[in-house]
Amino acid sequence: MTNTPGDVSGNGSGPMHVPSISKTRRAHMVTKGYISAWANAKSVVDVLDVQDGRGYPSSIENASVVSYVYDSAVMAYDLENEYAGIESEGASALAKLRAGENVTRSDMEAVITFLDMHLHRGNYADRANVRVPAVLMMKDGSIEKSVLRLGDMLLLAQQHPETLRLTSLELADWSWQIYPIDGLYTGDGAALLWRPTADHEPTSITFPLSPTQLLVIGEDLPENIDMNRFLVRNCRRWIVGQRGSLPLDLIAEIAAKRAADSQ
């Protein structure tokens, strides 16, 4: 089976030019409450920033933070507020799964929405500073040049017909299992979609709940699979692990190799 996460970019035509309403100064690209399951008693995790080639210990308050990352230049929508609601409900449901508690269908739907957000946002984790030229059609019929920020691109991609939304897959009716696996990492690419072939619909979704628990939705996975290898390959920028678990001293080499492979 191969993991083939999608990557859909939006287009810049049509939206009315209005001021951004999201002004969150310190936004997390990987949910703070979620990565707390990897933190030690001092709330510290290891972080690899593949984009900048840096590895370091960080408090969960500062891990994967990017200033004003979800602000938009064109679209009038508070994306950060939407994410906050998804994260709050999702964190509660994920905690039940970690604790082995019974989960309701509502809990499962909250997890699915959280995974959808994590997958979609993760596809753009390395584009926080990217600006895309756009031409806007105004209400009065005039044309105005602008640029799209990350918030705009995320919103446009959400509405793109080719964007796979996990919320459309009826995952609550699939099999849900938790595999015990030691030493799991997480990161912006932690929601993995597994398919028997590249053009097949996903048959399994995996997501680390903690360093020792892997949520598997759908078909069983092969035994002895190196989950961290697939996860690291799928992360665009941020990789998170327990303190002392990540190769902090090798990140510059890893980043350089990834950059060379992408050329």
Side-chain angles (χ1 to χ4, degrees):
M1 304 179 77
T2 58
N3 174 52
T4 55
D7 178 17
V8 180
S9 298
N11 60 67
S13 61
M16 184 178 71
H17 190 181
V18 292
S20 167
I21 58 177
S22 175
K23 293 296 180 184
T24 302
R25 187 176 70 84
R26 287 170 49 80
H28 291 81
M29 294 294 288
V30 184
T31 304
K32 176 180 68 174
Y34 164 63
I35 62 172
S36 66
W38 278 258
N40 62 16
K42 296 182 178 180
S43 296
V44 174
V45 293
D46 275 355
V47 175
L48 299 182
D49 180 345
V50 181
Q51 179 174 281
D52 290 350
R54 298 188 301 130
Y56 51 91
S58 172
S59 73
I60 59 173
E61 295 292 336
N62 296 322
S64 81
V65 166
V66 180
S67 296
Y68 301 107
V69 68
Y70 301 124
D71 286 0
S72 59
V74 174
M75 309 292 281
Y77 190 79
D78 194 338
L79 188 60
E80 174 64 15
N81 186 60
E82 176 188 311
Y83 284 167
I86 293 172
E87 289 171 339
S88 177
E89 293 187 10
S92 176
L94 289 171
K96 288 185 178 181
L97 287 172
R98 289 191 193 104
E101 299 177 8
N102 291 329
V103 292
T104 65
R105 190 174 184 89
S106 178
D107 292 326
M108 297 169 78
E109 296 291 352
V111 170
I112 294 164
T113 303
F114 182 93
L115 296 184
D116 185 70
M117 175 199 69
H118 191 99
L119 174 69
H120 180 67
R121 183 170 65 182
N123 284 336
Y124 291 82
D126 58 349
R127 304 188 191 182
N129 298 318
V130 173
R131 301 293 181 265
V132 178
V135 178
L136 310 180
M137 175 69 74
M138 312 306 289
K139 279 187 172 181
D140 62 4
S142 62
I143 300 295
E144 181 177 325
K145 292 183 179 181
S146 185
V147 294
L148 303 180
R149 294 169 57 91
L150 179 59
D152 299 304
M153 290 185 282
L154 285 168
L155 287 165
L156 287 168
Q158 283 181 354
Q159 302 166 24
H160 198 288
E162 294 184 7
T163 298
L164 173 64
R165 302 305 302 266
L166 299 185
T167 49
S168 70
L169 297 180
E170 304 295 337
L171 296 183
D173 296 326
W174 292 20
S175 171
W176 288 49
Q177 302 178 70
I178 297 178
Y179 286 17
I181 300 178
D182 290 332
L184 285 170
Y185 303 156
T186 191
D188 58 62
L192 293 171
L193 279 57
W194 301 85
R195 318 166 190 259
T197 61
D199 58 353
H200 198 283
E201 288 295 309
T203 55
S204 301
I205 314 295
T206 60
F207 190 68
L209 299 177
S210 75
T212 59
Q213 297 168 300
L214 180 72
L215 174 63
V216 180
I217 303 174
E219 296 182 0
D220 292 339
L221 298 180
E223 294 184 5
N224 302 319
I225 190 168
D226 187 348
M227 189 59 59
N228 280 341
R229 181 170 66 88
F230 285 97
L231 187 147
V232 167
R233 182 186 301 170
N234 198 49
C235 287
R236 299 294 184 106
R237 180 173 181 181
W238 306 101
I239 302 168
V240 176
Q242 287 182 295
R243 187 73 184 95
S245 68
L246 294 180
L248 303 184
D249 56 334
L250 297 178
I251 184 57
E253 179 181 334
I254 294 170
K257 184 179 186 303
R258 179 175 293 195
D261 291 344
S262 66
Q263 292 178 356

